[in-house]
Amino acid sequence: MSTLLLEAERVKSYYHTREGTVKAVDDVSLDVENGIILGLAGESGCGKSTLMNTLMMKIRPPLYLVDGEIIVDGERISKMERKEIKKKIWGVKISLVPQSALNALMPTKRIIDFIRDVVKFHVDVSDGEIVSMARKRFEELNLPEDSLYLYPHELSGGMKQRAVIAISTLLNPKLLIVDEPTSALDVSTQKRVLKLLLDLKKFKIIDSIVFVTHDIAVLRQIADRLVIMYAGKIVESGTLEDVLSNPKHPYTAGLIHAVITPEPEIRKRGLVSIPGEPPNLINPPSGCRFHPRCLHAMPICKKVVPELVDISNGRKVSCHLVKA
Amino acid sequence: MLLKVKDLSKTFIVGLLRKKEIHAVRKVSFNIKKGEFISLVGESGSGKTTTSRMILRILKPSSGSVIFEGKDPWALHKIEDLKWYWKQVHGIFQDPFASFNPLYKVDRILYQTFNLLNIESDAEKEHLVKESLKEVGLRPEEVLGRYPHELSGGQRQRIMIARCYLLKPKLIIADEPISMIDASTRAGILKLFSDLRNNYGTSVIFITHDLGLAYYVSDRIMIMHNGSIVEEGTPDEIMEHPKHHYTMRLKEDVPLLYRKWKGF
Ligand SMILES: Nc1ncnc2c1ncn2[C@@H]1O[C@H](COP(=O)(O)OP(=O)(O)OP(=O)(O)O)[C@@H](O)[C@H]1O
Ligand SMILES: Nc1ncnc2c1ncn2[C@@H]1O[C@H](COP(=O)(O)OP(=O)(O)OP(=O)(O)O)[C@@H](O)[C@H]1O
Ligand SMILES: [Mg+2]
Ligand SMILES: [Mg+2]
């Protein structure tokens, strides 16, 4: 039995806005085991980034943790003071490379100065030690050491993203969360970033990764497990192979069918897109939130919220079509 | 021939103290027929956008020529002639957010097209705007009157395509109109371009770094590298028998759904 690095139980986090309450993460339970790469996929606006921020307890108004518990490496961070989380958890046990990471670096600071500030916040070491630590890490990861002495705008998009990832993992956190790290990069650069993530794991700098993207073909290359999110809820999860070869939720099947890659299997089936648009999360549809777009919807789907049930060996689905 | 591009080049001079030349586009030549769908594929910085900006008559070429329906757009100066050109050759830009002014309602981006069209009646304009939104699968009542940040990326992208339904250009240059969009929305948007081609004989230059997307929609694919077109062919030729080593690399770097990369 593998150990769990992260456990989230019945988590709800909502944005309180003037227009109403946005139920961006609504009753989500999720485990991340030691040693795996977990891929989280779902359409734009389904709550992926909100969920990641919540798992980190990076929560500030208008976002509120309404309910649920989050445990990271044995520590119940959902109850912890923000100051303690900053000191003991972020960067040390769990690190997040946010969706906007390409802009996360300070434009006025060289990469090395940025690193110095980040590291000093957590540990008491000299400047010299930090520099040698950073150089060693960049060398280990095959990143040009010269880039440490450049300003962010002097780096290409791909190099910037790799630098941000290297910096986020400098203190060897157990879990790294990367939110759409390659969506703004071209395919060749994307591959280099993915390779870097695998290296981080191979060299045991980190133990597990949560990789967020809307691109399932990317997850196919690196993930061990797949979690599919729709309108603030997890609708399906399982091993990558199981979910891709035998999707149980109609939404998962739709997402997989919308993938466009140059392969004979896909040429044969043609391009299919899921009809309609994801719902507004202030007033999500009743029952199963996917029912208005689902080709298999039954009367019950409109009325009863389907539970996420374990159908076999950790394979979970939340759909009235599927019997436990 | 609708468009003839011959030896098109652009050199940027950068640096104030030590001047440096960047050869962004080098002697690019190609032709496009009416109703043809071609893709220009290459990595970041390969010169795709620079090429499209020269064709759109936004950026003056350093040398070479662009001839559209027998006319050189750079020889057009009268406002009427320019309006004609921009009605016929329409660009959809990389970042749909950049095309929208956050301070104005999205309606404006559609009504702006009437500057290039001869339509006077407000009722007629409103009717055409609504029709164009329906063509791209949007409900007018859901998007009109809203601000850009109140719409999803997919909706913003569709509004940009709705402009094409208003203008009915002969050539559309779509510069990575889907890079930041969901995989599931991509299929729908690609289909809209195909519909325009099938219904109105619109020619399309589709610019992307994803060979996988180009494979599905194009009649012809051109591979761009360091400012030059290094290979061109039908999608099958390019995917099954790539000749240039750069094309081979591009092909290998596309993540697939049913196959895993070597070493991953
Ligand atoms: N600061 C905010 N205030 C109010 N609502 C917000 C805020 N940030 C996000 N939302 C809403 O919360 C929902 C989830 O957004 P989130 O950014 O988590 O989605 P996502 O799955 O990460 O999307 P994407 O793929 O586009 O990054 C959306 O409906 C979004 O509009
Ligand atoms: N206004 C400019 N001044 C100086 N150099 C420029 C300018 N515009 C583009 N370049 C340079 O020209 C080259 C080609 O850029 P271009 O934007 O055409 O590439 P691209 O293929 O569209 O890339 P991407 O996929 O990232 O959009 C790059 O080296 C770029 O830095
Ligand atoms: Mg996000
Ligand atoms: Mg470009």
Side-chain angles (χ1 to χ4, degrees):
Chain A
M1 184 62 202
S2 54
T3 53
L4 296 179
L5 267 188
L6 183 141
E7 297 165 73
E9 189 65 27
R10 306 234 141 206
V11 169
K12 293 183 180 176
S13 49
Y14 297 169
Y15 295 96
H16 292 301
T17 70
R18 255 185 304 138
E19 291 78 36
T21 301
V22 182
K23 302 185 185 84
V25 171
D26 208 11
D27 202 3
V28 165
S29 300
L30 179 75
D31 293 339
V32 182
E33 284 141 36
N34 211 327
I36 68 154
I37 299 183
L38 182 141
L40 175 70
E43 274 166 299
S44 182
C46 71
K48 303 182 295 294
S49 297
T50 309
L51 177 58
M52 293 307 112
N53 286 326
T54 305
L55 296 181
M56 293 282 295
M57 285 302 288
K58 285 212 159 143
I59 295 181
R60 27 176 98 231
L63 183 65
Y64 295 87
L65 180 68
V66 173
D67 201 4
E69 290 199 86
I70 300 157
I71 296 173
V72 170
D73 197 28
E75 308 245 23
R76 190 177 306 263
I77 65 168
S78 46
K79 289 271 161 19
M80 232 182 234
E81 291 283 329
R82 193 176 175 93
K83 244 172 81 189
E84 199 185 354
I85 296 178
K86 263 183 149 171
K87 201 90 197 162
K88 277 176 47 185
I89 306 293
W90 293 347
V92 185
K93 286 193 185 287
I94 173 170
S95 262
L96 170 71
V97 177
Q99 192 161 4
S100 54
L102 287 174
N103 312 317
L105 298 165
M106 302 277 290
T108 54
K109 280 192 181 155
R110 293 180 307 161
I111 305 294
I112 189 71
D113 300 326
F114 183 79
I115 293 177
R116 201 173 284 141
D117 292 355
V118 172
V119 175
K120 277 206 162 153
F121 184 82
H122 292 285
V123 281
D124 194 16
V125 286
S126 72
D127 282 10
E129 278 174 283
I130 295 175
V131 172
S132 64
M133 207 165 122
R135 294 184 73 111
K136 188 166 154 270
R137 182 54 59 83
F138 268 53
E139 192 193 330
E140 194 176 10
L141 295 171
N142 247 323
L143 302 176
E145 279 173 56
D146 307 347
S147 54
L148 282 170
Y149 300 94
L150 296 177
Y151 290 92
H153 71 264
E154 296 177 303
L155 300 176
S156 69
M159 188 56 227
K160 231 189 282 182
Q161 188 63 284
R162 288 190 291 161
V164 170
I165 292 172
I167 295 169
S168 307
T169 52
L170 215 51
L171 299 174
N172 301 5
K174 296 202 167 164
L175 175 64
L176 174 69
I177 300 177
V178 280
D179 191 353
E180 304 270 11
T182 63
S183 303
L185 304 176
D186 71 44
V187 287
S188 307
T189 314
Q190 163 169 275
K191 194 172 181 178
R192 253 171 264 144
V193 170
L194 297 176
K195 184 79 177 55
L196 172 70
L197 290 171
L198 288 184
D199 283 348
L200 283 170
K201 221 178 136 252
K202 192 169 86 189
F203 300 147
K204 302 244 183 311
I205 293 167
I206 54 176
D207 292 336
S208 300
I209 300 175
V210 175
F211 192 109
V212 178
T213 177
H214 60 254
D215 192 341
I216 296 187
V218 165
L219 293 182
R220 170 72 184 86
Q221 306 305 321
I222 58 159
D224 304 304
R225 288 185 71 79
L226 205 52
V227 172
I228 309 291
M229 199 168 170
Y230 183 75
K233 289 180 175 293
I234 290 176
V235 294
E236 178 155 8
S237 69
T239 65
L240 179 96
E241 302 294 336
D242 280 353
V243 176
L244 285 186
S245 62
N246 185 14
K248 298 279 186 198
H249 197 289
Y251 178 65
T252 311
L255 266 190
I256 294 171
H257 274 114
V259 174
I260 306 171
T261 58
E263 290 176 274
E265 291 88 345
I266 289 178
R267 182 132 237 196
K268 213 154 76 195
R269 72 149 205 239
L271 303 187
V272 199
S273 57
I274 308 170
E277 292 247 349
N280 176 311
L281 294 180
I282 294 181
N283 277 312
S286 60
C288 170
R289 291 183 175 181
F290 187 59
H291 86 257
R293 299 173 77 186
C294 184
L295 299 175
H296 310 279
M298 309 174 287
I300 185 177
C301 303
K302 210 171 172 167
K303 291 188 203 110
V304 182
V305 180
E307 278 286 318
L308 185 67
V309 290
D310 199 317
I311 55 170
S312 69
N313 285 326
R315 179 75 188 277
K316 292 181 181 157
V317 188
S318 124
C319 175
H320 292 300
L321 288 169
V322 179
K323 295 273 170 295
Chain B
M1 207 53 72
L2 188 71
L3 178 81
K4 288 189 188 180
V5 172
K6 183 103 179 66
D7 291 335
L8 199 60
S9 304
K10 182 72 195 181
T11 304
F12 291 108
I13 315 277
V14 295
L16 290 172
L17 297 176
R18 260 162 284 118
K19 288 208 171 15
K20 204 176 124 198
E21 293 189 338
I22 295 178
H23 299 282
V25 176
R26 309 171 201 237
K27 287 194 172 256
V28 162
S29 301
F30 60 89
N31 295 331
I32 300 174
K33 291 195 284 256
K34 183 176 184 309
E36 202 176 12
F37 200 129
I38 69 164
S39 294
L40 189 55
V41 185
E43 70 189 349
S44 196
S46 57
K48 307 181 297 293
T49 299
T50 305
T51 304
S52 73
R53 291 174 71 211
M54 288 191 282
I55 299 173
L56 287 164
R57 202 195 179 282
I58 299 171
L59 184 70
K60 196 157 171 57
S62 303
S63 62
S65 63
V66 174
I67 303 291
F68 176 80
E69 291 198 322
K71 294 199 178 77
D72 172 0
W74 289 98
L76 305 176
H77 297 290
K78 279 203 299 247
I79 192 77
E80 261 72 275
D81 294 339
L82 288 173
K83 278 188 175 183
W84 167 82
Y85 190 70
W86 285 321
K87 183 191 172 304
Q88 303 301 335
V89 182
H90 187 62
I92 298 182
F93 294 103
Q94 204 149 22
D95 172 10
F97 237 132
S99 309
F100 287 93
N101 184 326
L103 300 177
Y104 291 102
K105 292 177 179 161
V106 296
D107 310 33
R108 197 171 102 117
I109 200 129
L110 293 167
Y111 280 94
Q112 272 173 345
T113 57
F114 295 113
N115 295 336
L116 300 175
L117 298 168
N118 292 318
I119 292 161
E120 293 302 327
S121 136
D122 286 345
E124 173 75 1
K125 286 181 185 172
E126 189 184 334
H127 172 73
L128 288 172
V129 161
K130 287 186 172 163
E131 284 306 303
S132 71
L133 288 170
K134 287 181 202 156
E135 293 274 12
V136 298
L138 292 172
R139 280 188 287 271
E141 65 276 15
E142 272 182 21
V143 294
L144 291 176
R146 293 218 178 186
Y147 290 92
H149 70 269
E150 297 178 308
L151 300 178
S152 72
Q155 286 174 322
R156 283 197 295 268
Q157 202 47 262
R158 279 167 197 265
I159 287 177
M160 293 306 289
I161 302 176
R163 281 167 63 101
C164 298
Y165 278 91
L166 286 168
L167 291 169
K168 308 248 163 50
K170 291 196 175 135
L171 174 64
I172 294 173
I173 305 182
D175 193 348
E176 283 198 61
I178 46 186
S179 57
M180 297 298 284
I181 290 195
D182 270 27
S184 56
T185 318
R186 276 179 174 177
I189 288 192
L190 280 177
K191 188 153 177 311
L192 288 175
F193 285 119
S194 300
D195 289 351
L196 268 166
R197 190 260 294 270
N198 297 342
N199 297 339
Y200 301 104
T202 316
S203 305
V204 182
I205 303 179
F206 178 66
I207 295 182
T208 179
H209 58 78
D210 189 339
L211 196 50
L213 292 177
Y215 176 69
Y216 280 97
V217 290
S218 326
D219 300 315
R220 205 146 47 88
I221 295 176
M222 302 188 294
I223 307 288
M224 196 158 186
H225 183 47
N226 279 337
S228 306
I229 291 178
V230 295
E231 178 163 3
E232 70 166 278
T234 65
D236 283 327
E237 283 164 4
I238 296 278
M239 284 311 290
E240 276 151 43
H241 311 285
K243 293 196 186 70
H244 198 277
H245 63 89
Y246 178 69
T247 312
M248 292 176 201
R249 206 189 92 202
L250 262 188
K251 182 187 156 190
E252 277 164 16
D253 290 347
V254 176
L256 301 177
L257 188 58
Y258 295 99
R259 289 154 191 81
K260 222 168 155 165
W261 281 323
K262 262 185 257 136
F264 266 67

